[in-house]
Amino acid sequence: MKRPELCIVVLNWNGAGDTIACLHSLSGSLSPSSMVLVVDNGSTDDSLSRIRAAFPDTEILSLPLNLGYAGGNNAGFRRVMELQAEFVIFLNNDTVVERGFSAPLIHALRSDLSAGIAVPKIFYHARPHSLWYAGGVVRLSTGLIRHNGIRKSDAAEFNRPGVTGYATGCCFTMRCQDFERVGGFDEHFGMYAEDVDLSLRVRALGLTVRYEPGSVVWHKVSASLSGTPFKKLAKKSAASLRLFIKHRAWGGALLFLLLLPFRLAVSSASALFSSSTRIKSGHEG
């Protein structure tokens, strides 16, 4: 196999329908020097057979157990290193991408050697002009972690590339050498915050996180999760506290706990928004 310039890692767990839709969108974005690696994270349904039938030429790494987001992507990256790719994109399976979405991300890293991560503009899949991510703000000292532009309509202010606080794990690009140097994802994070932690560790190397709105992705938010907004908030809160403790942000941890009731209200409103988008689009999974 010829050494790929870019390898796109798509993590699947019991989500063949979303993964196949994602791969269809990627099929119009692949250059001869790029490839897709599907990592099946210990699926217990017929995901493997369905994905193989739909995309027989796509490489699949089948893991015997569900290693979580961090563990599954780290396993995929080990295969990427075997392939000796220069760049890696980690892409959620519950996304579809704009044709050519990878080119602006790779260009951002090639043109700015101080950039360690490049991350696209991301919209809600069910409301294609409503933003989900247009950069990220993280202030550990005050317990603030949030997406820029979330639930807002696209506007000129979100079309300016530049340095941002953190990249979302939904989709981002790195040089393979940088991802290896930073040590990959911290697998102690069971769900959530591993992307913020990775971004902070990349920044600690003296590199930046670059927001690149020329690259566009649509995300079926929380399609792979189940449970009430309260359970999801509990998982997010536990991950955030782990993040504050790991980075010794004691004041941020205290403020985060004090503001939990407010965060619950915001989370509930967000869940209602996401639910309404899925219903209007006919997608309720």
Side-chain angles (χ1 to χ4, degrees):
M1 178 184 295
K2 184 180 177 181
R3 175 184 176 183
E5 175 192 46
L6 166 67
C7 187
I8 302 172
V9 177
V10 178
L11 189 66
N12 175 79
W13 179 71
N14 292 349
D18 284 329
T19 298
I20 289 168
C22 177
L23 296 178
H24 274 299
S25 72
L26 284 171
S27 63
S29 298
L30 295 178
S31 70
S33 60
S34 61
M35 65 168 288
V36 175
L37 172 67
V38 173
V39 179
D40 186 72
N41 215 2
S43 290
T44 56
D45 63 2
D46 59 351
S47 284
L48 278 173
S49 60
R50 290 178 61 190
I51 295 168
R52 282 176 173 146
F55 289 89
D57 296 328
T58 295
E59 181 171 340
I60 300 177
L61 173 64
S62 179
L63 303 178
L65 298 172
N66 185 345
L67 301 181
Y69 174 89
N73 277 313
N74 281 345
F77 181 72
R78 289 191 286 273
R79 174 56 182 154
V80 172
M81 290 301 290
E82 291 175 353
L83 294 166
Q84 298 183 310
E86 184 179 0
F87 298 96
V88 61
I89 292 180
F90 295 99
L91 180 67
N92 272 19
N93 74 316
D94 59 348
T95 59
V96 294
V97 304
E98 186 175 63
R99 186 179 180 89
F101 87 109
S102 64
L105 300 175
I106 299 299
H107 177 74
L109 295 181
R110 286 202 182 281
S111 61
D112 183 0
L113 296 181
S114 70
I117 303 178
V119 60
K121 178 192 290 186
I122 305 175
F123 293 93
Y124 284 93
H125 181 265
R127 292 189 178 182
H129 302 291
S130 197
L131 288 163
W132 183 71
Y133 174 94
V137 177
V138 53
R139 298 191 187 102
L140 293 185
S141 60
T142 61
L144 177 64
I145 304 170
R146 66 168 172 81
H147 290 187
N148 286 332
I150 187 167
R151 291 183 291 277
K152 292 184 179 180
S153 296
D154 197 13
E157 65 181 296
F158 303 118
N159 289 324
R160 293 190 286 268
V163 175
T164 194
Y166 71 93
T168 169
C170 175
C171 178
F172 69 90
T173 310
M174 289 185 69
R175 301 177 192 89
C176 289
Q177 65 182 23
D178 290 334
F179 189 78
E180 183 179 38
R181 181 158 65 113
V182 81
F185 289 108
D186 183 343
E187 296 182 23
H188 290 97
F189 289 92
M191 177 68 75
Y192 304 113
E194 60 276 288
D195 48 4
V196 182
D197 172 67
L198 178 75
S199 298
L200 292 174
R201 288 186 285 121
V202 167
R203 289 170 51 184
L205 294 176
L207 301 173
T208 61
V209 179
R210 299 285 303 183
Y211 168 61
E212 180 44 69
S215 174
V216 176
V217 172
W218 290 268
H219 181 28
K220 302 170 188 175
V221 178
S222 296
S224 62
L225 298 176
S226 61
T228 67
F230 299 96
K231 289 182 179 179
K232 293 175 185 177
L233 180 64
K235 290 181 180 179
K236 288 182 178 180
S237 298
S240 295
L241 287 172
R242 177 179 287 277
L243 181 75
F244 297 135
I245 292 169
K246 176 177 179 178
H247 293 272
R248 300 182 182 278
W250 310 116
L254 179 59
L255 285 170
F256 186 86
L257 288 171
L258 290 173
L259 291 172
L260 260 182
F262 171 74
R263 296 180 191 279
L264 177 59
V266 172
S267 178
S268 297
S270 177
L272 288 173
F273 177 88
S274 297
S275 176
S276 68
T277 62
R278 287 194 295 271
I279 291 171
K280 288 184 178 182
S281 70
H283 177 81
E284 300 188 50

